[in-house]
PDB file of all heavy atoms in Angstrom:
ATOM      1  N   TYR A1368     101.562   7.107  -6.455  1.00 97.00           N
ATOM      2  CA  TYR A1368     101.936   8.522  -6.510  1.00 97.00           C
ATOM      3  C   TYR A1368     103.408   8.770  -6.209  1.00 97.00           C
ATOM      4  O   TYR A1368     103.942   9.819  -6.506  1.00 97.00           O
ATOM      5  CB  TYR A1368     101.058   9.335  -5.540  1.00 97.00           C
ATOM      6  CG  TYR A1368      99.596   9.274  -5.891  1.00 97.00           C
ATOM      7  CD1 TYR A1368      98.678   8.645  -5.051  1.00 97.00           C
ATOM      8  CD2 TYR A1368      99.132   9.827  -7.083  1.00 97.00           C
ATOM      9  CE1 TYR A1368      97.334   8.575  -5.393  1.00 97.00           C
ATOM     10  CE2 TYR A1368      97.787   9.762  -7.427  1.00 97.00           C
ATOM     11  CZ  TYR A1368      96.897   9.141  -6.583  1.00 97.00           C
ATOM     12  OH  TYR A1368      95.575   9.061  -6.928  1.00 97.00           O
ATOM     13  N   MET A1369     104.055   7.766  -5.597  1.00 98.00           N
ATOM     14  CA  MET A1369     105.458   7.949  -5.225  1.00 98.00           C
ATOM     15  C   MET A1369     106.437   7.422  -6.287  1.00 98.00           C
ATOM     16  O   MET A1369     107.637   7.568  -6.140  1.00 98.00           O
ATOM     17  CB  MET A1369     105.740   7.231  -3.899  1.00 98.00           C
ATOM     18  CG  MET A1369     105.778   8.143  -2.683  1.00 98.00           C
ATOM     19  SD  MET A1369     104.149   8.655  -2.214  1.00 98.00           S
ATOM     20  CE  MET A1369     103.802   7.433  -0.961  1.00 98.00           C
ATOM     21  N   ALA A1370     105.915   6.804  -7.339  1.00 98.00           N
ATOM     22  CA  ALA A1370     106.800   6.160  -8.325  1.00 98.00           C
ATOM     23  C   ALA A1370     107.745   7.178  -8.960  1.00 98.00           C
ATOM     24  O   ALA A1370     107.300   8.229  -9.424  1.00 98.00           O
ATOM     25  CB  ALA A1370     105.957   5.493  -9.408  1.00 98.00           C
ATOM     26  N   SER A1371     109.044   6.850  -8.981  1.00 98.00           N
ATOM     27  CA  SER A1371     109.992   7.793  -9.588  1.00 98.00           C
ATOM     28  C   SER A1371     109.883   7.736 -11.114  1.00 98.00           C
ATOM     29  O   SER A1371     110.214   8.705 -11.794  1.00 98.00           O
ATOM     30  CB  SER A1371     111.421   7.490  -9.134  1.00 98.00           C
ATOM     31  OG  SER A1371     111.720   6.157  -9.465  1.00 98.00           O
ATOM     32  N   ASP A1372     109.445   6.613 -11.649  1.00 98.00           N
ATOM     33  CA  ASP A1372     109.176   6.497 -13.085  1.00 98.00           C
ATOM     34  C   ASP A1372     107.805   5.829 -13.220  1.00 98.00           C
ATOM     35  O   ASP A1372     107.689   4.605 -13.229  1.00 98.00           O
ATOM     36  CB  ASP A1372     110.273   5.662 -13.759  1.00 98.00           C
ATOM     37  CG  ASP A1372     110.071   5.551 -15.276  1.00 98.00           C
ATOM     38  OD1 ASP A1372     108.964   5.858 -15.758  1.00 98.00           O
ATOM     39  OD2 ASP A1372     111.026   5.165 -15.970  1.00 98.00           O
ATOM     40  N   PHE A1373     106.763   6.654 -13.288  1.00 98.00           N
ATOM     41  CA  PHE A1373     105.389   6.136 -13.219  1.00 98.00           C
ATOM     42  C   PHE A1373     105.060   5.256 -14.416  1.00 98.00           C
ATOM     43  O   PHE A1373     104.371   4.244 -14.278  1.00 98.00           O
ATOM     44  CB  PHE A1373     104.404   7.319 -13.137  1.00 98.00           C
ATOM     45  CG  PHE A1373     102.992   6.878 -12.872  1.00 98.00           C
ATOM     46  CD1 PHE A1373     102.623   6.358 -11.647  1.00 98.00           C
ATOM     47  CD2 PHE A1373     102.018   6.983 -13.857  1.00 98.00           C
ATOM     48  CE1 PHE A1373     101.312   5.940 -11.389  1.00 98.00           C
ATOM     49  CE2 PHE A1373     100.702   6.570 -13.615  1.00 98.00           C
ATOM     50  CZ  PHE A1373     100.356   6.052 -12.377  1.00 98.00           C
ATOM     51  N   ARG A1374     105.551   5.616 -15.594  1.00 98.00           N
ATOM     52  CA  ARG A1374     105.249   4.813 -16.783  1.00 98.00           C
ATOM     53  C   ARG A1374     105.876   3.421 -16.661  1.00 98.00           C
ATOM     54  O   ARG A1374     105.277   2.428 -17.065  1.00 98.00           O
ATOM     55  CB  ARG A1374     105.738   5.546 -18.047  1.00 98.00           C
ATOM     56  CG  ARG A1374     104.985   6.838 -18.326  1.00 98.00           C
ATOM     57  CD  ARG A1374     103.596   6.615 -18.902  1.00 98.00           C
ATOM     58  NE  ARG A1374     103.691   5.932 -20.188  1.00 98.00           N
ATOM     59  CZ  ARG A1374     103.432   4.648 -20.364  1.00 98.00           C
ATOM     60  NH1 ARG A1374     103.031   3.882 -19.368  1.00 98.00           N
ATOM     61  NH2 ARG A1374     103.553   4.105 -21.552  1.00 98.00           N
ATOM     62  N   ALA A1375     107.097   3.370 -16.091  1.00 98.00           N
ATOM     63  CA  ALA A1375     107.739   2.058 -15.895  1.00 98.00           C
ATOM     64  C   ALA A1375     106.915   1.230 -14.913  1.00 98.00           C
ATOM     65  O   ALA A1375     106.683   0.035 -15.130  1.00 98.00           O
ATOM     66  CB  ALA A1375     109.161   2.248 -15.376  1.00 98.00           C
ATOM     67  N   TYR A1376     106.442   1.877 -13.829  1.00 98.00           N
ATOM     68  CA  TYR A1376     105.584   1.181 -12.851  1.00 98.00           C
ATOM     69  C   TYR A1376     104.328   0.638 -13.548  1.00 98.00           C
ATOM     70  O   TYR A1376     103.942  -0.522 -13.367  1.00 98.00           O
ATOM     71  CB  TYR A1376     105.207   2.150 -11.716  1.00 98.00           C
ATOM     72  CG  TYR A1376     103.923   1.765 -11.009  1.00 98.00           C
ATOM     73  CD1 TYR A1376     103.902   0.754 -10.056  1.00 98.00           C
ATOM     74  CD2 TYR A1376     102.710   2.402 -11.339  1.00 98.00           C
ATOM     75  CE1 TYR A1376     102.693   0.375  -9.444  1.00 98.00           C
ATOM     76  CE2 TYR A1376     101.523   2.032 -10.734  1.00 98.00           C
ATOM     77  CZ  TYR A1376     101.511   1.016  -9.790  1.00 98.00           C
ATOM     78  OH  TYR A1376     100.334   0.646  -9.204  1.00 98.00           O
ATOM     79  N   GLN A1377     103.671   1.482 -14.364  1.00 98.00           N
ATOM     80  CA  GLN A1377     102.448   1.023 -15.055  1.00 98.00           C
ATOM     81  C   GLN A1377     102.740  -0.163 -15.977  1.00 98.00           C
ATOM     82  O   GLN A1377     101.940  -1.102 -16.062  1.00 98.00           O
ATOM     83  CB  GLN A1377     101.850   2.158 -15.890  1.00 98.00           C
ATOM     84  CG  GLN A1377     101.166   3.252 -15.082  1.00 98.00           C
ATOM     85  CD  GLN A1377     100.667   4.372 -15.990  1.00 98.00           C
ATOM     86  OE1 GLN A1377     101.412   4.934 -16.797  1.00 98.00           O
ATOM     87  NE2 GLN A1377      99.402   4.720 -15.874  1.00 98.00           N
ATOM     88  N   ASN A1378     103.907  -0.113 -16.648  1.00 98.00           N
ATOM     89  CA  ASN A1378     104.255  -1.211 -17.559  1.00 98.00           C
ATOM     90  C   ASN A1378     104.459  -2.516 -16.813  1.00 98.00           C
ATOM     91  O   ASN A1378     104.031  -3.573 -17.265  1.00 98.00           O
ATOM     92  CB  ASN A1378     105.526  -0.865 -18.343  1.00 98.00           C
ATOM     93  CG  ASN A1378     105.230   0.107 -19.467  1.00 98.00           C
ATOM     94  OD1 ASN A1378     104.098   0.174 -19.953  1.00 98.00           O
ATOM     95  ND2 ASN A1378     106.233   0.864 -19.873  1.00 98.00           N
ATOM     96  N   ILE A1379     105.117  -2.439 -15.654  1.00 98.00           N
ATOM     97  CA  ILE A1379     105.392  -3.664 -14.880  1.00 98.00           C
ATOM     98  C   ILE A1379     104.072  -4.276 -14.395  1.00 98.00           C
ATOM     99  O   ILE A1379     103.815  -5.465 -14.580  1.00 98.00           O
ATOM    100  CB  ILE A1379     106.341  -3.349 -13.692  1.00 98.00           C
ATOM    101  CG1 ILE A1379     107.737  -3.046 -14.227  1.00 98.00           C
ATOM    102  CG2 ILE A1379     106.381  -4.510 -12.694  1.00 98.00           C
ATOM    103  CD1 ILE A1379     108.676  -2.424 -13.213  1.00 98.00           C
ATOM    104  N   VAL A1380     103.236  -3.454 -13.781  1.00 98.00           N
ATOM    105  CA  VAL A1380     101.952  -3.969 -13.256  1.00 98.00           C
ATOM    106  C   VAL A1380     101.052  -4.423 -14.414  1.00 98.00           C
ATOM    107  O   VAL A1380     100.440  -5.496 -14.355  1.00 98.00           O
ATOM    108  CB  VAL A1380     101.254  -2.900 -12.385  1.00 98.00           C
ATOM    109  CG1 VAL A1380      99.824  -3.312 -12.051  1.00 98.00           C
ATOM    110  CG2 VAL A1380     102.041  -2.678 -11.098  1.00 98.00           C
ATOM    111  N   GLY A1381     101.005  -3.629 -15.478  1.00 98.00           N
ATOM    112  CA  GLY A1381     100.155  -3.972 -16.620  1.00 98.00           C
ATOM    113  C   GLY A1381     100.568  -5.290 -17.257  1.00 98.00           C
ATOM    114  O   GLY A1381      99.716  -6.141 -17.571  1.00 98.00           O
ATOM    115  N   ALA A1382     101.881  -5.491 -17.423  1.00 98.00           N
ATOM    116  CA  ALA A1382     102.373  -6.731 -18.047  1.00 98.00           C
ATOM    117  C   ALA A1382     102.100  -7.917 -17.130  1.00 98.00           C
ATOM    118  O   ALA A1382     101.761  -9.014 -17.590  1.00 98.00           O
ATOM    119  CB  ALA A1382     103.867  -6.605 -18.335  1.00 98.00           C
ATOM    120  N   SER A1383     102.224  -7.696 -15.835  1.00 98.00           N
ATOM    121  CA  SER A1383     101.970  -8.766 -14.864  1.00 98.00           C
ATOM    122  C   SER A1383     100.494  -9.197 -14.924  1.00 98.00           C
ATOM    123  O   SER A1383     100.187 -10.402 -14.948  1.00 98.00           O
ATOM    124  CB  SER A1383     102.345  -8.249 -13.464  1.00 98.00           C
ATOM    125  OG  SER A1383     101.974  -9.157 -12.477  1.00 98.00           O
ATOM    126  N   ILE A1384      99.601  -8.225 -14.976  1.00 98.00           N
ATOM    127  CA  ILE A1384      98.164  -8.541 -15.060  1.00 98.00           C
ATOM    128  C   ILE A1384      97.884  -9.337 -16.343  1.00 98.00           C
ATOM    129  O   ILE A1384      97.206 -10.372 -16.315  1.00 98.00           O
ATOM    130  CB  ILE A1384      97.326  -7.231 -15.032  1.00 98.00           C
ATOM    131  CG1 ILE A1384      97.378  -6.603 -13.640  1.00 98.00           C
ATOM    132  CG2 ILE A1384      95.873  -7.494 -15.454  1.00 98.00           C
ATOM    133  CD1 ILE A1384      96.757  -5.212 -13.554  1.00 98.00           C
ATOM    134  N   ALA A1385      98.442  -8.878 -17.461  1.00 98.00           N
ATOM    135  CA  ALA A1385      98.187  -9.560 -18.747  1.00 98.00           C
ATOM    136  C   ALA A1385      98.717 -10.992 -18.712  1.00 98.00           C
ATOM    137  O   ALA A1385      98.034 -11.926 -19.157  1.00 98.00           O
ATOM    138  CB  ALA A1385      98.835  -8.762 -19.881  1.00 98.00           C
ATOM    139  N   GLU A1386      99.916 -11.163 -18.161  1.00 98.00           N
ATOM    140  CA  GLU A1386     100.501 -12.515 -18.125  1.00 98.00           C
ATOM    141  C   GLU A1386      99.686 -13.444 -17.217  1.00 98.00           C
ATOM    142  O   GLU A1386      99.440 -14.605 -17.553  1.00 98.00           O
ATOM    143  CB  GLU A1386     101.963 -12.431 -17.648  1.00 98.00           C
ATOM    144  CG  GLU A1386     102.700 -13.730 -17.869  1.00 98.00           C
ATOM    145  CD  GLU A1386     104.202 -13.626 -17.611  1.00 98.00           C
ATOM    146  OE1 GLU A1386     104.788 -12.520 -17.766  1.00 98.00           O
ATOM    147  OE2 GLU A1386     104.787 -14.669 -17.229  1.00 98.00           O
ATOM    148  N   ALA A1387      99.248 -12.918 -16.078  1.00 98.00           N
ATOM    149  CA  ALA A1387      98.462 -13.740 -15.146  1.00 98.00           C
ATOM    150  C   ALA A1387      97.112 -14.133 -15.765  1.00 98.00           C
ATOM    151  O   ALA A1387      96.650 -15.259 -15.599  1.00 98.00           O
ATOM    152  CB  ALA A1387      98.258 -12.989 -13.833  1.00 98.00           C
ATOM    153  N   ILE A1388      96.505 -13.213 -16.509  1.00 98.00           N
ATOM    154  CA  ILE A1388      95.234 -13.526 -17.188  1.00 98.00           C
ATOM    155  C   ILE A1388      95.445 -14.677 -18.173  1.00 98.00           C
ATOM    156  O   ILE A1388      94.675 -15.629 -18.241  1.00 98.00           O
ATOM    157  CB  ILE A1388      94.693 -12.275 -17.932  1.00 98.00           C
ATOM    158  CG1 ILE A1388      94.170 -11.248 -16.940  1.00 98.00           C
ATOM    159  CG2 ILE A1388      93.594 -12.664 -18.936  1.00 98.00           C
ATOM    160  CD1 ILE A1388      93.865  -9.882 -17.556  1.00 98.00           C
TER     161      ILE A1388
END
Side-chain angles (χ1 to χ4, degrees):
Y1368 298 114
M1369 259 75 95
S1371 57
D1372 182 345
F1373 188 70
R1374 294 284 298 103
Y1376 156 79
Q1377 287 177 307
N1378 283 335
I1379 289 167
V1380 170
S1383 173
I1384 289 172
E1386 192 171 332
I1388 288 169

